[in-house]
Amino acid sequence: MTSATFLRTSGKALTILQLALIIGPSFVIFGYNQANIGGLLSEEDWVKIFHEIDTVHSTGIEKSNKATLQGFVVATFVLGALVGSLSCSYTGDKFGRRNVIFFAAVCSLIGEILEASSFGLAQFIVGRVIIGFGVGQLSSIAPVWLSETSDAKSRGRHVVLTGLFMCLGYTLESWLDLAFFEFHFGSVTWRPPIAIAIAFSLLVMGFIYSFPESPRWLVLKNRSDQAAHVISALRGLPVESLEVQAELASIEHSLEETSRSAVKLRDMLTMGEDKLLYRFCLCILLQFFQQASGSNLVSVYAPILFQNNLGLDSETSRILSGGALTWKFLSSFIAFFTIDRFGRRAVFMVSGVGMCACMAALAITTSLKSNRGAQIAAGCFIYLYNTWVPIGFLGANFLYCAEVAPVRLRMAMSSISTANHWLWNFVIIMVTPVAINTIGGLYYIVFAAVAACIPFSVYFFFPETTGRTLEEIELLFKDSPSIWSTVKYAKNRPILMPEEALASKNKVDYVEETE
């Protein structure tokens, strides 16, 4: 007996190809396009073409007004992403994970072409919104697809790689921006850095249909035979093997259990036996923490932070920004090695403490404008902050939301929580240019306060999910006595073995047949 194959591979080799050809490029698109405008705002040819948002050659009230408009232009990407992620609550289950990923890549391709060929602000904004729509869909659907196709033992490492690839996108954009900045004059300083992202969109479009659909979605659509074929390929085991049949039985059992109760969107706002409201709040809160603790502030506006807060010249700011994002990329490997070893709760809490300390230090050091030592320290704290963020909030947040959501509402819950991520992203991007020009270092106190709430919230309310199948996590929430005891219950509940999962499904089938 042999396992099923895709691209003539199965098991670990198939997963590596999935990460390299689809997940990697998808999140490089995410990071690259989100960060690409931040380093271009002071380019000479850029401000000549988009003079409506030129804050370099303006002062006073005019500069303040243009800073507000500049924030809006940057944030149009986020508005598109918000709508795109929300749309997945319908399209993800209706059309399947792969179809939505393909459509998202098409949207990002169209938007990148419009942006790179812009000769006016209106065209640029349209391109930015379309890219945002595609990236919003990718940020919502890709982690779900990956979590649903990964095995329980390595699911954490696989999904955390989304954050690593996202950070790679930030880093590539930062250094490419610096490279083309050295031309000093003409549209070559900003058009090529935008256009390079087209290659990643084409890669996703070209390979997505070479990989299997989510087995959970296939079972949801009553295509269990195909789901068994997919599980066989993903695990590298024969279709008839105990492990494949047990995983399929567990998925079917979970769907049968949830199908007995209502599964409409409004059910997420009710508690009930499945504790849907509690689980939904965990997703919403986690995505809020990711944004409101300052993660994308540092990623998107890094050159502006070095230039405006620290008083450095444009080129030095770009070099330091590229270095900071490169360090963030390297720090992302910490999460890869710790997420499944120490668990989700540990990385969230450690990350929260570190981000809080760095933001508090930035608030102090950036307020001392005339102190050269304080300015140098502020630059160091930006680098140090980029050490803590990837540990818990650059991929693990998307992972956890996909894990705690029930299978019939996974796409809806994940997409709405991701839309919440983009909503707060929009607020921060809109506020940041004005805040930096007005209150300066005091702005960081807000992020420090939010980050301080993370370890306490996680300790009391976020149960551990490491090492469990998605169907086990469903039972964990359902069987726990209350939301106050779910964390303790998760610590004491043993992990289900394949034989137990298959026996449980057969027992349920027998009971139903005798009734």
Side-chain angles (χ1 to χ4, degrees):
M1 295 184 294
T2 58
S3 63
T5 62
F6 288 83
L7 287 176
R8 297 183 180 181
T9 62
S10 63
K12 187 177 293 187
L14 179 61
T15 300
I16 291 172
L17 287 177
Q18 179 189 24
L19 291 167
L21 298 177
I22 305 298
I23 300 301
S26 294
F27 279 86
V28 169
I29 291 169
F30 183 153
Y32 194 97
N33 284 298
Q34 185 173 20
N36 69 359
I37 191 174
L40 304 176
L41 296 173
S42 58
E43 299 274 9
E44 184 175 328
D45 192 69
W46 171 276
V47 298
K48 186 189 301 181
I49 293 175
F50 305 115
H51 56 86
E52 301 95 333
I53 54 173
D54 175 17
T55 57
V56 178
H57 304 107
S58 55
T59 56
I61 296 176
E62 182 188 11
K63 182 174 183 178
S64 178
N65 292 336
K66 287 186 174 182
T68 303
L69 180 59
Q70 183 185 93
F72 173 75
V73 172
V74 174
T76 52
F77 169 88
V78 181
L79 288 176
L82 193 155
V83 176
S85 60
L86 277 176
S87 71
C88 288
S89 63
Y90 172 76
T91 59
D93 285 335
K94 177 70 173 177
F95 302 109
R97 312 329 190 202
R98 294 186 306 172
N99 288 333
V100 176
I101 290 173
F102 177 81
F103 181 74
V106 171
C107 288
S108 66
L109 175 66
I110 294 170
E112 287 151 3
I113 292 171
L114 286 173
E115 269 194 356
S117 61
S118 293
F119 281 94
L121 191 60
Q123 180 182 337
F124 186 85
I125 290 173
V126 171
R128 193 126 182 97
V129 170
I130 295 174
I131 291 178
F133 185 85
V135 168
Q137 289 188 312
L138 288 173
S139 67
S140 182
I141 196 86
V144 171
W145 180 58
L146 182 57
S147 67
E148 290 183 336
T149 54
S150 298
D151 67 281
K153 292 182 179 179
S154 57
R155 186 176 61 244
R157 290 195 298 273
H158 291 169
V159 181
V160 159
L161 282 174
T162 62
L164 190 149
F165 288 124
M166 190 194 313
C167 204
L168 177 60
Y170 290 141
T171 305
L172 282 174
E173 191 285 326
S174 184
W175 288 115
L176 287 170
D177 172 45
L178 174 63
F180 285 96
F181 172 77
E182 296 299 330
F183 285 98
H184 298 297
F185 304 105
S187 60
V188 69
T189 57
W190 64 272
R191 293 189 192 276
I194 292 174
I196 285 171
I198 291 172
F200 298 104
S201 299
L202 291 172
L203 190 60
V204 175
M205 291 167 58
F207 282 99
I208 183 59
Y209 290 112
S210 298
F211 292 91
E213 182 55 89
S214 161
R216 271 84 180 174
W217 183 80
L218 291 170
V219 173
L220 189 66
K221 297 299 180 181
N222 298 314
R223 292 154 63 179
S224 294
D225 289 342
Q226 293 180 41
H229 182 82
V230 167
I231 295 170
S232 169
L234 291 169
R235 307 295 171 254
L237 297 168
V239 174
E240 300 81 5
S241 67
L242 172 64
E243 290 83 0
V244 171
Q245 291 303 312
E247 185 168 348
L248 179 62
S250 183
I251 296 169
E252 290 174 336
H253 179 48
S254 178
L255 278 168
E256 287 169 6
E257 288 291 309
T258 56
S259 65
R260 290 175 183 147
S261 57
V263 288
K264 297 177 181 177
L265 285 179
R266 66 172 177 265
D267 295 323
M268 288 190 291
L269 303 179
T270 62
M271 191 62 72
E273 184 185 29
D274 295 328
K275 302 177 183 64
L276 294 179
L277 179 60
Y278 169 44
R279 294 152 78 173
F280 182 53
C281 287
L282 293 181
C283 297
I284 291 293
L285 190 59
L286 200 60
Q287 296 291 23
F288 165 75
F289 282 149
Q290 200 271 348
Q291 287 298 319
S293 56
S295 174
N296 282 332
L297 164 74
V298 176
S299 296
V300 176
Y301 284 110
I304 305 299
L305 297 180
F306 283 114
Q307 193 167 344
N308 290 18
N309 279 165
L310 307 186
L312 301 173
D313 62 83
S314 183
E315 185 171 8
T316 303
S317 296
R318 281 172 167 77
I319 293 172
L320 288 175
S321 174
L325 293 173
T326 302
W327 177 248
K328 189 175 184 179
F329 168 69
L330 295 174
S331 299
S332 300
F333 286 95
I334 298 175
F336 180 78
F337 293 108
T338 57
I339 188 71
D340 284 324
R341 176 170 295 183
F342 299 109
R344 285 46 161 165
R345 283 163 49 83
V347 297
F348 288 146
M349 289 190 283
V350 169
S351 185
V353 170
M355 291 190 294
C356 174
C358 291
M359 280 296 174
L362 278 170
I364 297 169
T365 53
T366 55
S367 63
L368 304 173
K369 294 290 185 182
S370 58
N371 189 316
R372 184 63 178 169
Q375 290 181 325
I376 294 172
C380 293
F381 281 118
I382 289 176
Y383 273 73
L384 188 58
Y385 178 85
N386 279 343
T387 304
W388 298 111
V389 174
I391 293 176
F393 287 89
L394 202 64
N397 50 310
F398 293 105
L399 163 69
Y400 195 84
C401 292
E403 287 182 326
V404 301
V407 63
R408 284 185 177 273
L409 285 170
R410 182 169 294 130
M411 200 61 257
M413 198 174 285
S414 178
S415 63
I416 294 172
S417 64
T418 304
N420 176 63
H421 161 101
W422 289 111
L423 176 63
W424 286 104
N425 193 323
F426 172 76
V427 171
I428 290 165
I429 286 178
M430 277 294 295
V431 168
T432 294
V434 178
I436 289 175
N437 287 325
T438 52
I439 62 174
L442 295 176
Y443 185 44
Y444 299 110
I445 294 176
V446 177
F447 302 108
V450 172
C453 298
I454 294 174
F456 299 102
S457 301
V458 172
Y459 182 82
F460 288 108
F461 296 109
F462 286 71
E464 187 58 71
T465 58
T466 302
R468 299 186 186 275
T469 66
L470 298 177
E471 289 66 41
E472 276 187 84
I473 297 169
E474 170 70 23
L475 291 174
L476 187 155
F477 281 100
K478 186 176 180 179
D479 295 342
S480 67
S482 69
I483 64 172
W484 307 103
S485 57
T486 302
V487 170
K488 184 178 180 180
Y489 182 77
K491 289 180 181 178
N492 298 326
R493 182 186 175 95
I495 293 176
L496 203 65
M497 300 303 292
E499 296 86 350
E500 295 173 306
L502 193 58
S504 176
K505 175 62 166 59
N506 291 337
K507 182 180 178 181
V508 171
D509 290 343
Y510 174 77
V511 170
E512 290 178 347
E513 288 172 3
T514 56
E515 287 179 350

